[in-house]
Amino acid sequence: MRADRLVSLVLLLRQRGRLTANALARELEASTRTVLRDIEALSAAGVPVHAERGRHGGFVLAPGFRTELTGLNHDEALALPAAGSGRGEQVFGLGPALASAMRKVVDALPESHRTTVSDAVQRFLVDPETDLLPRRPVTEEVPGTAMIEVRRAVLAGHKLRIHYAATGRVPQWRTVDPIGLVTVRDRGYLLATRSGADRTYRLSRVPAAEELPEPAQRPGRVDLDRIRRERSARFLSDGDHVTVLMRVDPARREELLNTALAVRAEEPDADGRLRLEVAFQDVRHAEWALWQLGTDAEALSPQSLRTRLRDRAATMATRYTDPSRKR
């Protein structure tokens, strides 16, 4: 681990020039004291890194040998900063590894492409922490130690023990045959089988995991996208899900999709709104989702949902118009 951190430290100084110990510590996810020890070790090993004093001081690496990565065209080099901005690496616990790999790739680029990438980093912003409203996107946290075990089992083709907390149930240990990892709307899932039956596990509900030495019972080649689509279709056709016919302002469509299970039909309405057939987990889920959209959405059916929304709105109206409730 320390060797990787030393390489990353050198690459950071090569690509960004002068950096303070605090800035290096943030980038490397280490303490300032650790960074200072690493710089001493690099200097002792003959790496030309030195400190510059003053208000704008920091550590600087003298120009050195570069190994160039050839074969990339302009657009391919431009794609590098965008490729490193997705959240899948966070869901699967690979954020630090991706950041380190990107530094190594950028450092190996020819000079003209390094300039292109540096400019793109300043000019492109993909998936900021908040949107324009601003609302912070929700990215689920997965325990790092558990994620390491899950990744190892998936890649090695070994059985996996997971401590899984299903909704409304006591967490239990279970042994599964892992197939692969997928992300859907910044949520990570483990596709697996258990005793031959298909299972999908939400990674944020796996606080602990253990890779086992036994080989997993799974096919040698797999189409994760096909498996995900098939399981999603089965999930939507099972259980007590409720289907809602509704109208919604097109500007709120994406917000609706972030809460619904699926959109089964969609067409434009006469007044510019969208008419949608949407699946929700149950009527309470549907009520909550439509309430968030306010007057920008209207449930057309089922009538039971319309009644629940009407009663809720009436209660709110009474609360804010009844003089006896004033404080």
Side-chain angles (χ1 to χ4, degrees), residues 164-213:
Y164 191 70
T167 303
R169 298 183 182 178
V170 177
Q172 293 181 341
W173 283 98
R174 58 200 73 190
T175 299
V176 302
D177 294 297
I179 295 175
L181 298 170
V182 301
T183 61
V184 180
R185 298 178 188 167
D186 295 330
R187 292 175 178 172
Y189 297 88
L190 167 67
L191 303 186
T193 61
R194 185 183 179 203
S195 300
D198 292 342
R199 294 289 185 267
T200 301
Y201 299 102
R202 196 154 157 179
L203 291 174
S204 61
R205 296 175 182 165
V206 182
E210 177 187 2
E211 178 193 6
L212 301 177

Side-chain angles (χ1 to χ4, degrees), residues 149-150 153 158-162 174-176 190 209-211:
E149 293 293 312
V150 172
H158 290 168
K159 288 184 178 292
L160 177 69
R161 286 185 74 232
I162 58 174
R174 58 200 73 190
T175 299
V176 302
L190 167 67
E210 177 187 2
E211 178 193 6

Side-chain angles (χ1 to χ4, degrees), residues 185 232 236 242 257 259-265 277-280 285:
R185 298 178 188 167
S232 295
L236 290 173
V242 61
L257 295 186
T259 59
L261 291 179
V263 174
R264 293 174 171 169
E277 187 177 324
V278 184
F280 293 97
H285 178 201

